[in-house]
Amino acid sequence: MPEVTVTVNGERRCAETDVRTTLADFVRHRLGLTGTHLGCEHGVCGACTILVDGAAVRSCLMLAVQADGHRLETIEGLADGDRLNPLQEAFHRNHALQCGFCTSGFLMTLTAALRDGPVSTEAEAREVLSGNICRCTGYAGMVRAVLEVSGTASPSPRPAEEEPVEETEPMPPTADPMGGA
């Protein structure tokens, strides 16, 4: 089996792998970076998106041996320890995720796009997002998040701590609309 050497999130890593192993499987199973998810395994959904030399790539469509000698960035490299990066923070503030399965692919796709320059309109944001599929969110929170990070939208306020509900007098019973007592 050939040995593949890559620089992942700034760290040089080497591992043996079969020549037929996809980059997604290599990253997940040989390097132990499981934030990259496999959805369709046809390059359609975008869940497996990582950056290869700065470009967003569907890692389910690329072989690990093709990445030999290249620089990879995965979702694990976006945060600085426990501190989320600005895009991750904006996703959190704007409720841009639900189940989280597709989130790493969206974040990596947007990271590549934002490095090319700001995304300044809702139409541009939707265009960048259009290559990834999410079955949960409806995309509105993602659009707000990317516009916020680009500086073209006001930041959403952080969710407030839940305030205690003031106790009130109970409502008097109402008549049953179905004619009962």
Side-chain angles (χ1 to χ4, degrees), residues 107-128:
L107 288 169
M108 298 313 294
T109 296
L110 290 169
T111 295
L114 290 167
R115 285 179 182 169
D116 289 339
V119 176
S120 48
T121 67
E122 182 177 329
E124 286 177 30
R126 290 190 179 280
E127 178 66 26
V128 171

Side-chain angles (χ1 to χ4, degrees), residues 75 84 87-104 106-107 134-145:
I75 189 70
L84 300 178
L87 182 57
Q88 290 170 308
E89 287 279 351
F91 259 55
H92 179 261
R93 268 191 306 280
N94 289 282
H95 307 287
L97 59 106
Q98 285 185 21
C99 82
F101 187 84
C102 64
T103 305
S104 60
F106 275 106
L107 288 169
C134 176
R135 295 180 177 189
C136 301
T137 67
Y139 302 92
M142 291 185 222
V143 169
R144 285 191 307 270

